[in-house]
Amino acid sequence: REIDSTIYTPTIFEAIDVYCEKFEPSLNAVLLYMHQSPCVPDGHEDSVALGLTAGFNYDWLEVAAYLIPQSEAIVRNIFKRERVNTLVNRDDGTEEEMSLNQLLESPHAAEALGKDNVFQLRALLTERAGFNLRNLYSHGLLTDDAVHNNGLFMLWWLLLRMTLFVPWGIEWHRKRMDDASENAAAGR
């Protein structure tokens, strides 16, 4: 945790400054990218875009409010996109969605997300030895002051990279274009 934060945090802040200086990111631009990102589930684009845009504005309370909860939706969406079952059977015969912990610990996690992303997401969101952001935030144990921490800065940076620079993005976009062409040819 300590080594990463001394390297990551200044680098993240410098990247934000350089990016904002050159491109002046707007919510509309980020929203456009979120609608095209294969990571972001349908119907979650606004929340993810608001969270990422807040990071460009150094509004870490807003980043936490939007991105900590959306992290699970993003992970679940990637699993479903990779056709990995996200349901578990309960003792009473019903099914329920796996928790974020279960998803990140599943044998399919490294294949769906990449082992580096799994490691980072666990360290940032669910591990007690890490930042444990999801659990602390969702149970009301993370104060407004405590939100300003290296774990949240790194989570913002990780989700920015995952949503904008996904390795499977080109394949997903190509398939989407092929599907649209097929639908147009079939008159749908």
Side-chain angles (χ1 to χ4, degrees):
R1 257 171 79 166
E2 292 174 22
I3 293 172
D4 285 346
S5 65
T6 59
I7 295 169
Y8 276 147
T9 303
T11 305
I12 291 169
F13 291 162
E14 186 175 332
I16 291 170
D17 290 343
V18 168
Y19 186 81
C20 289
E21 207 173 277
K22 291 186 178 208
F23 300 107
E24 299 177 22
S26 69
L27 175 60
N28 287 337
V30 175
L31 188 56
L32 176 68
Y33 286 116
M34 294 308 101
H35 277 282
Q36 296 175 3
S37 175
C39 287
V40 180
D42 290 339
H44 294 250
E45 299 89 355
D46 290 354
S47 296
V48 176
L50 285 165
L52 292 174
T53 303
F56 287 120
N57 297 321
Y58 293 96
D59 185 348
W60 301 108
L61 286 172
E62 191 171 344
V63 169
Y66 284 108
L67 293 185
I68 292 174
Q70 290 303 322
S71 299
E72 185 167 349
I74 290 169
V75 168
R76 188 176 313 286
N77 184 59
I78 293 169
F79 269 62
K80 287 180 178 180
R81 194 180 163 285
E82 295 294 316
R83 292 179 171 72
V84 175
N85 184 19
T86 62
L87 298 172
V88 290
N89 294 320
R90 296 176 59 183
D91 293 338
D92 64 2
T94 61
E95 292 181 324
E96 69 181 3
E97 287 287 345
M98 289 182 184
S99 69
L100 181 58
N101 240 359
Q102 291 171 313
L103 290 170
L104 294 175
E105 291 175 357
S106 84
H108 305 287
E111 185 180 330
L113 300 166
K115 68 179 184 173
D116 291 341
N117 288 341
V118 171
F119 177 79
Q120 289 180 55
L121 287 165
R122 286 183 65 186
L124 295 170
L125 294 168
T126 62
E127 292 295 324
R128 289 178 194 228
F131 289 97
N132 201 19
L133 292 172
R134 178 196 170 272
N135 297 320
L136 293 174
Y137 190 80
S138 65
H139 295 293
L141 301 172
L142 199 58
T143 66
D144 292 346
D145 288 339
V147 162
H148 296 85
N149 70 60
N150 295 317
L152 185 63
F153 309 149
M154 289 187 275
L155 178 65
W156 177 83
W157 184 249
L158 175 62
L159 293 177
L160 180 71
R161 290 187 340 249
M162 284 179 69
T163 56
L164 293 180
F165 308 109
V166 292
W168 54 82
I170 294 170
E171 295 169 25
W172 175 83
H173 185 69
R174 191 175 296 133
K175 181 177 179 341
R176 199 167 158 199
M177 297 304 288
D178 291 345
D179 289 349
S181 296
E182 288 176 17
N183 287 340
R188 291 183 242 163

